[in-house]
Amino acid sequence: MTETDQTAARRRVHLHIGVHFAGTTRIVESLRQNSQGFAERGIRTPPARLYRQAMTGLLERLDGLPPIETEEIELLDDILQGNTAKAVIMADANWASPLAEALHSDRLYPDIGTRVAPIAELFESSDLRLSMALRNPAAFVQSAQDSGKARGATNAFLRNVQPETLRWCDTVDALRSALPNVPLTLWCEEDTPLIWPRVMRQIAGLPKDATLRGGFAALRDLIQPEGLKRLQVFLAGHPPETDAQYERTVLAFLDKYGKEDALDEPCDLPGWDANVIDTVTQHYEDDIAALSARDDITFIAPASMAG
């Protein structure tokens, strides 16, 4: 059996590992919404409580040791509750690291490699895939502060970090160094209103023409209800032939029906003036350009940015 045949015969396991404030909850909800259709295709989206409990329990029992193949099989049996599946999809923003640990150094998610590697090792015999969404570091830190979660870590981070040094490339490099052979898909949370159907198809391993429920999940908080209804009617009557056509249509409806407050992301962080935010944002855009050009990453970007 060739290496390609062996990969095809293995169960595909997709782990979405975060980051915080970048749509992981939306992914979990969309997976649940599509669970029946996915099951018909041999794709399982088990309840989060099942896989979190099963994976945490095994990691504690292993105490740093790698699992043997029978332990991996038992883990998937526990997660799937006796169901068979060609693919399993699971998501948890804390796999990249708990929020407090994401903000305990001078860069974002400094321990992501050592956090994710033991989790990935649980699926050593599977066809493992990872995905992660990124977000402008200024908006990310603002969301951390606004959430009230990990307040001490957030305050210490704001006191000690040099904002201009925050680069997602550093985070991604640490992850790739720990897991260089695991396929990784990235996208920007800011782009999700335009690319959400593509994101869900990529996570599920489905073809471009696959129909999914919840294709407007990333738009609901950004567009007025009337505009969303009109958009759905328009797309039903004028199915876009390309991703670019779909994105142009969504942008047109956002321009007309977008909620101004939802589309504006103010940043009010101590010590972060307009010049600092502009620098952080420019570095973010530079990082996205660099990451999207890498051969070892699948980067989902709006069609207008592709290539």
Side-chain angles (χ1 to χ4, degrees):
M1 181 179 289
T2 66
E3 183 177 346
T4 301
D5 292 335
Q6 290 174 338
T7 299
R10 291 183 292 163
R11 177 184 281 129
R12 190 176 76 248
V13 174
H14 189 111
L15 302 180
H16 180 75
I17 62 172
V19 297
H20 297 87
F21 315 115
T24 301
T25 299
R26 186 192 309 124
I27 287 177
V28 172
E29 292 172 349
S30 293
L31 292 175
R32 187 185 307 120
Q33 192 173 0
N34 284 281
S35 59
Q36 182 175 345
F38 283 169
E40 293 170 356
R41 294 174 176 264
I43 304 168
R44 294 289 177 180
T45 56
R49 59 177 175 79
L50 279 180
Y51 56 76
R52 288 171 182 163
Q53 180 178 345
M55 292 165 67
T56 299
L58 180 53
L59 286 169
E60 290 175 350
R61 292 194 300 275
L62 291 170
D63 194 24
L65 295 172
I68 60 177
E69 188 171 357
T70 55
E71 289 173 318
E72 180 178 342
I73 293 170
E74 290 172 359
L75 172 64
L76 284 167
D77 285 344
D78 288 344
I79 291 172
L80 293 171
Q81 297 286 286
N83 292 312
T84 58
K86 295 185 297 184
V88 186
I89 309 172
M90 298 171 278
D92 190 334
N94 286 319
W95 285 334
S97 84
L99 180 59
E101 294 183 22
L103 298 169
H104 77 74
S105 183
D106 59 352
R107 62 185 174 92
L108 299 168
Y109 295 84
D111 301 323
I112 189 170
T114 55
R115 292 284 309 189
V116 178
I119 296 169
E121 200 170 38
L122 297 178
F123 305 99
E124 182 77 22
S125 301
S126 300
D127 179 15
L128 179 63
R129 316 291 177 92
L130 298 178
S131 63
M132 185 169 70
L134 306 178
R135 190 176 180 189
N136 187 322
F140 175 85
V141 179
Q142 183 71 60
S143 293
Q145 185 183 60
D146 292 346
S147 74
K149 301 175 182 176
R151 189 181 300 275
T154 305
N155 291 338
F157 186 80
L158 285 168
R159 286 194 304 270
N160 298 321
V161 74
Q162 297 294 318
E164 299 88 346
T165 67
L166 295 178
R167 307 296 296 253
W168 281 119
C169 272
D170 295 336
T171 304
V172 175
D173 284 343
L175 180 61
R176 297 312 283 154
S177 294
L179 297 165
N181 299 318
V182 177
L184 174 64
T185 297
L186 300 176
W187 63 88
C188 297
E189 168 65 6
E190 293 88 353
D191 293 333
T192 52
L194 302 180
I195 63 173
W196 185 246
R198 291 165 57 199
V199 166
M200 289 305 298
R201 287 195 295 267
Q202 174 71 12
I203 288 175
L206 296 177
K208 184 176 180 180
D209 59 351
T211 301
L212 293 170
R213 302 184 66 183
F216 301 104
L219 274 170
R220 293 190 184 281
D221 293 335
L222 303 179
I223 194 169
Q224 299 170 27
E226 177 192 358
L228 183 57
K229 291 179 182 177
R230 290 179 179 272
L231 173 61
Q232 291 170 317
V233 170
F234 181 87
L235 289 173
H238 306 80
E241 296 182 2
T242 65
D243 292 330
Q245 287 181 357
Y246 173 83
E247 292 167 15
R248 285 196 296 270
T249 301
V250 170
L251 284 171
F253 276 78
L254 277 173
D255 184 58
K256 186 172 183 179
Y257 296 103
K259 301 176 183 177
E260 290 187 15
D261 292 344
L263 294 172
D264 183 31
E265 283 193 315
C267 187
D268 183 22
L269 295 168
W272 293 41
D273 61 20
N275 288 332
V276 168
I277 294 170
D278 285 347
T279 300
V280 170
T281 300
Q282 183 59 57
H283 287 170
Y284 176 53
E285 293 173 356
D286 293 344
D287 279 356
I288 297 310
L291 292 169
S292 63
R294 285 174 55 163
D295 293 334
D296 62 333
I297 294 170
T298 297
F299 204 103
I300 305 176
S304 58
M305 294 173 56

